[in-house]
Amino acid sequence: DTGVSQDPRHKITKRGQNVTFRCDPISEHNRLYWYRQTLGQGPEFLTYFQNEAQLEKSRLLSDRFSAERPKGSFSTLEIQRTEQGDSAMYLCASSSLADYTGELFFGEGSRLTVL
Amino acid sequence: QKEVEQDPGPLSVPEGAIVSLNCTYSNSAFQYFMWYRQYSRKGPELLMYTYSSGNKEDGRFTAQVDKSSKYISLFIRDSQPSDSATYLCAMSFRNAGNMLTFGGGTRLMVKP
């Protein structure tokens, strides 16, 4: 399977704990995105990388959230001191630099439940 | 007010019906318009893309953009049970690196 893969698919944690999600994009894609989706809502942009550079970060993203893409391949999204409001599906997507169509290839998401 | 508004549904139609899904937006700087389909417990997948006002057809799907009214639509002809999913409109600014702003999604159910 050469699609976008995310791990873990589901994480249950207690309030105050740290969690980390990993995303492996399609191998030839330069751009990688993180979105958050809550039940009944559309995906909400969090941050975006072009190769290893983080080019954009949503103002909605608190300081408890950090994302990295150290070698321009896989990416991690860490949430520190989780809160119940962080419960959501975290979607990773990738696209090619040459693609102007707006097509993002999404993974199946990592669902976070904060108790 | 959200930048992109979409009726959440659910919208329930019989098989074979014509479905109309709509979004309105407030920012006239949006240049690219897309429709994504999302099945339950899956990530969204691109259905249609357009950047100009007017209609674009692909099989049973037609995307319509009216920039003057800030209104986009997706029409599905001869709807099938397999079309049952959540439909998300999305849009982006020029040179925005494919950063998309999504609507809230409309849940569609096509009954056999």
Side-chain angles (χ1 to χ4, degrees):
Chain A
D1 185 13
T2 57
V4 177
S5 63
Q6 294 189 243
D7 183 70
R9 293 293 311 280
H10 194 185
K11 177 73 175 179
I12 301 172
T13 191
K14 293 182 179 179
R15 186 165 52 95
Q17 299 294 304
N18 298 344
V19 296
T20 299
F21 300 114
R22 176 182 170 121
C23 171
D24 288 272
I26 293 171
S27 58
E28 61 266 29
H29 283 178
N30 316 86
R31 291 175 169 166
L32 186 147
Y33 310 78
W34 286 98
Y35 282 79
R36 176 172 61 192
Q37 186 174 27
T38 53
L39 197 63
Q41 301 297 315
E44 178 183 51
F45 172 76
L46 294 179
T47 190
Y48 144 62
F49 291 85
Q50 184 166 301
N51 299 312
E52 66 275 10
Q54 188 173 19
L55 295 188
E56 196 74 30
K57 189 175 175 180
S58 169
R59 286 170 292 176
L60 301 173
L61 207 61
S62 79
D63 291 342
R64 296 184 298 106
F65 287 71
S66 62
E68 292 183 342
R69 194 183 184 198
K71 296 182 180 179
S73 56
F74 74 91
S75 175
T76 57
L77 176 68
E78 181 183 17
I79 309 173
Q80 296 182 324
R81 305 181 304 281
T82 53
E83 301 173 356
Q84 288 185 325
D86 297 332
S87 296
M89 177 75 83
Y90 290 85
L91 291 164
C92 177
S94 68
S95 73
S96 169
L97 192 62
D99 190 335
Y100 59 90
T101 64
E103 182 165 19
L104 300 187
F105 293 82
F106 283 88
E108 296 194 336
S110 292
R111 181 172 297 280
L112 174 64
T113 302
V114 181
L115 302 176
Chain B
Q1 183 187 4
K2 292 183 178 180
E3 277 193 296
V4 181
E5 297 278 1
Q6 191 174 1
D7 187 331
L11 181 62
S12 181
V13 301
E15 183 175 355
I18 296 174
V19 176
S20 172
L21 304 167
N22 310 296
C23 281
T24 58
Y25 60 97
S26 56
N27 194 332
S28 59
F30 284 126
Q31 292 291 316
Y32 303 109
F33 305 91
M34 290 134 271
W35 285 94
Y36 279 76
R37 178 175 61 195
Q38 186 174 27
Y39 290 113
S40 181
R41 301 183 186 278
K42 299 288 186 181
E45 56 180 348
L46 182 69
L47 269 181
M48 300 280 289
Y49 156 85
T50 185
Y51 59 89
S52 59
S53 284
N55 293 352
K56 181 178 181 180
E57 191 173 318
D58 184 2
R60 295 186 296 112
F61 299 91
T62 299
Q64 188 174 78
V65 174
D66 182 346
K67 289 186 178 180
S68 62
S69 301
K70 300 192 189 70
Y71 189 87
I72 68 171
S73 299
L74 178 71
F75 299 95
I76 307 174
R77 289 184 298 281
D78 187 25
S79 56
Q80 302 295 309
S82 59
D83 294 328
S84 298
T86 296
Y87 289 80
L88 298 154
C89 63
M91 43 200 80
S92 68
F93 303 110
R94 187 180 181 87
N95 297 326
N98 284 0
M99 287 181 293
L100 304 182
T101 301
F102 283 88
T106 299
R107 188 175 159 214
L108 172 67
M109 293 182 291
V110 181
K111 296 183 176 179

mmCIF file of all heavy atoms in Angstrom, chain B residues 59-75:
data_model
loop_
_atom_site.group_PDB
_atom_site.id
_atom_site.type_symbol
_atom_site.label_atom_id
_atom_site.label_comp_id
_atom_site.label_asym_id
_atom_site.label_seq_id
_atom_site.Cartn_x
_atom_site.Cartn_y
_atom_site.Cartn_z
ATOM 1 N N GLY B 59 -18.580 12.371 -15.286
ATOM 2 C CA GLY B 59 -19.466 11.232 -15.088
ATOM 3 C C GLY B 59 -20.804 11.685 -14.521
ATOM 4 O O GLY B 59 -21.463 12.563 -15.071
ATOM 5 N N ARG B 60 -21.196 11.110 -13.404
ATOM 6 C CA ARG B 60 -22.471 11.464 -12.786
ATOM 7 C C ARG B 60 -22.391 12.739 -11.938
ATOM 8 O O ARG B 60 -23.404 13.183 -11.397
ATOM 9 C CB ARG B 60 -22.934 10.302 -11.895
ATOM 10 C CG ARG B 60 -23.254 9.024 -12.644
ATOM 11 C CD ARG B 60 -23.843 7.949 -11.730
ATOM 12 N NE ARG B 60 -22.907 7.499 -10.705
ATOM 13 C CZ ARG B 60 -23.066 7.744 -9.406
ATOM 14 N NH1 ARG B 60 -24.107 8.437 -8.962
ATOM 15 N NH2 ARG B 60 -22.179 7.282 -8.542
ATOM 16 N N PHE B 61 -21.222 13.307 -11.821
ATOM 17 C CA PHE B 61 -21.006 14.463 -10.953
ATOM 18 C C PHE B 61 -20.822 15.748 -11.766
ATOM 19 O O PHE B 61 -20.110 15.763 -12.769
ATOM 20 C CB PHE B 61 -19.767 14.242 -10.070
ATOM 21 C CG PHE B 61 -19.876 13.049 -9.159
ATOM 22 C CD1 PHE B 61 -19.435 11.804 -9.568
ATOM 23 C CD2 PHE B 61 -20.434 13.170 -7.896
ATOM 24 C CE1 PHE B 61 -19.540 10.694 -8.736
ATOM 25 C CE2 PHE B 61 -20.540 12.076 -7.055
ATOM 26 C CZ PHE B 61 -20.096 10.841 -7.469
ATOM 27 N N THR B 62 -21.454 16.825 -11.297
ATOM 28 C CA THR B 62 -21.270 18.146 -11.892
ATOM 29 C C THR B 62 -20.994 19.140 -10.776
ATOM 30 O O THR B 62 -21.771 19.225 -9.821
ATOM 31 C CB THR B 62 -22.514 18.597 -12.677
ATOM 32 O OG1 THR B 62 -22.770 17.683 -13.740
ATOM 33 C CG2 THR B 62 -22.306 20.000 -13.251
ATOM 34 N N ALA B 63 -19.893 19.866 -10.910
ATOM 35 C CA ALA B 63 -19.560 20.916 -9.951
ATOM 36 C C ALA B 63 -19.889 22.254 -10.581
ATOM 37 O O ALA B 63 -19.611 22.485 -11.759
ATOM 38 C CB ALA B 63 -18.089 20.847 -9.569
ATOM 39 N N GLN B 64 -20.473 23.121 -9.797
ATOM 40 C CA GLN B 64 -20.886 24.433 -10.286
ATOM 41 C C GLN B 64 -20.339 25.493 -9.341
ATOM 42 O O GLN B 64 -20.437 25.358 -8.117
ATOM 43 C CB GLN B 64 -22.412 24.495 -10.324
ATOM 44 C CG GLN B 64 -22.995 25.714 -10.984
ATOM 45 C CD GLN B 64 -24.503 25.572 -11.070
ATOM 46 O OE1 GLN B 64 -25.217 25.772 -10.087
ATOM 47 N NE2 GLN B 64 -24.998 25.206 -12.235
ATOM 48 N N VAL B 65 -19.760 26.540 -9.906
ATOM 49 C CA VAL B 65 -19.209 27.633 -9.105
ATOM 50 C C VAL B 65 -19.795 28.942 -9.589
ATOM 51 O O VAL B 65 -19.805 29.218 -10.788
ATOM 52 C CB VAL B 65 -17.663 27.691 -9.215
ATOM 53 C CG1 VAL B 65 -17.119 28.923 -8.500
ATOM 54 C CG2 VAL B 65 -17.036 26.427 -8.643
ATOM 55 N N ASP B 66 -20.270 29.748 -8.663
ATOM 56 C CA ASP B 66 -20.753 31.097 -8.961
ATOM 57 C C ASP B 66 -19.985 32.048 -8.045
ATOM 58 O O ASP B 66 -20.368 32.261 -6.904
ATOM 59 C CB ASP B 66 -22.264 31.182 -8.716
ATOM 60 C CG ASP B 66 -22.818 32.551 -9.065
ATOM 61 O OD1 ASP B 66 -22.034 33.503 -9.249
ATOM 62 O OD2 ASP B 66 -24.046 32.677 -9.159
ATOM 63 N N LYS B 67 -18.899 32.594 -8.555
ATOM 64 C CA LYS B 67 -18.046 33.450 -7.725
ATOM 65 C C LYS B 67 -18.744 34.749 -7.362
ATOM 66 O O LYS B 67 -18.505 35.310 -6.293
ATOM 67 C CB LYS B 67 -16.723 33.751 -8.437
ATOM 68 C CG LYS B 67 -15.789 32.552 -8.514
ATOM 69 C CD LYS B 67 -14.449 32.962 -9.085
ATOM 70 C CE LYS B 67 -13.482 31.790 -9.124
ATOM 71 N NZ LYS B 67 -12.161 32.164 -9.673
ATOM 72 N N SER B 68 -19.629 35.231 -8.221
ATOM 73 C CA SER B 68 -20.295 36.504 -7.921
ATOM 74 C C SER B 68 -21.223 36.361 -6.721
ATOM 75 O O SER B 68 -21.405 37.293 -5.939
ATOM 76 C CB SER B 68 -21.064 37.004 -9.140
ATOM 77 O OG SER B 68 -22.080 36.079 -9.490
ATOM 78 N N SER B 69 -21.794 35.167 -6.549
ATOM 79 C CA SER B 69 -22.692 34.912 -5.419
ATOM 80 C C SER B 69 -21.979 34.205 -4.279
ATOM 81 O O SER B 69 -22.596 33.951 -3.231
ATOM 82 C CB SER B 69 -23.884 34.058 -5.868
ATOM 83 O OG SER B 69 -24.601 34.703 -6.881
ATOM 84 N N LYS B 70 -20.714 33.834 -4.485
ATOM 85 C CA LYS B 70 -19.930 33.086 -3.495
ATOM 86 C C LYS B 70 -20.689 31.807 -3.108
ATOM 87 O O LYS B 70 -20.978 31.555 -1.921
ATOM 88 C CB LYS B 70 -19.617 33.926 -2.262
ATOM 89 C CG LYS B 70 -18.819 35.195 -2.555
ATOM 90 C CD LYS B 70 -18.299 35.795 -1.254
ATOM 91 C CE LYS B 70 -17.707 37.149 -1.458
ATOM 92 N NZ LYS B 70 -18.708 38.184 -1.777
ATOM 93 N N TYR B 71 -20.962 31.019 -4.123
ATOM 94 C CA TYR B 71 -21.834 29.849 -3.956
ATOM 95 C C TYR B 71 -21.308 28.745 -4.849
ATOM 96 O O TYR B 71 -21.036 28.975 -6.034
ATOM 97 C CB TYR B 71 -23.251 30.262 -4.394
ATOM 98 C CG TYR B 71 -24.347 29.284 -4.118
ATOM 99 C CD1 TYR B 71 -25.011 29.281 -2.900
ATOM 100 C CD2 TYR B 71 -24.757 28.379 -5.099
ATOM 101 C CE1 TYR B 71 -26.052 28.403 -2.657
ATOM 102 C CE2 TYR B 71 -25.788 27.495 -4.859
ATOM 103 C CZ TYR B 71 -26.435 27.522 -3.633
ATOM 104 O OH TYR B 71 -27.463 26.656 -3.396
ATOM 105 N N ILE B 72 -21.132 27.542 -4.280
ATOM 106 C CA ILE B 72 -20.734 26.410 -5.101
ATOM 107 C C ILE B 72 -21.682 25.251 -4.854
ATOM 108 O O ILE B 72 -22.280 25.138 -3.761
ATOM 109 C CB ILE B 72 -19.270 25.976 -4.862
ATOM 110 C CG1 ILE B 72 -19.071 25.362 -3.465
ATOM 111 C CG2 ILE B 72 -18.322 27.163 -5.039
ATOM 112 C CD1 ILE B 72 -17.689 24.729 -3.300
ATOM 113 N N SER B 73 -21.827 24.414 -5.861
ATOM 114 C CA SER B 73 -22.754 23.287 -5.778
ATOM 115 C C SER B 73 -22.114 22.035 -6.354
ATOM 116 O O SER B 73 -21.225 22.115 -7.211
ATOM 117 C CB SER B 73 -24.035 23.583 -6.567
ATOM 118 O OG SER B 73 -24.700 24.704 -6.061
ATOM 119 N N LEU B 74 -22.600 20.906 -5.887
ATOM 120 C CA LEU B 74 -22.258 19.606 -6.466
ATOM 121 C C LEU B 74 -23.561 18.883 -6.747
ATOM 122 O O LEU B 74 -24.406 18.746 -5.855
ATOM 123 C CB LEU B 74 -21.399 18.778 -5.520
ATOM 124 C CG LEU B 74 -21.026 17.377 -6.026
ATOM 125 C CD1 LEU B 74 -20.017 17.467 -7.164
ATOM 126 C CD2 LEU B 74 -20.472 16.498 -4.897
ATOM 127 N N PHE B 75 -23.725 18.444 -7.991
ATOM 128 C CA PHE B 75 -24.902 17.678 -8.371
ATOM 129 C C PHE B 75 -24.479 16.232 -8.638
ATOM 130 O O PHE B 75 -23.460 15.995 -9.293
ATOM 131 C CB PHE B 75 -25.562 18.267 -9.622
ATOM 132 C CG PHE B 75 -26.042 19.676 -9.428
ATOM 133 C CD1 PHE B 75 -25.241 20.737 -9.811
ATOM 134 C CD2 PHE B 75 -27.276 19.939 -8.856
ATOM 135 C CE1 PHE B 75 -25.676 22.050 -9.624
ATOM 136 C CE2 PHE B 75 -27.713 21.236 -8.671
ATOM 137 C CZ PHE B 75 -26.915 22.302 -9.050
#
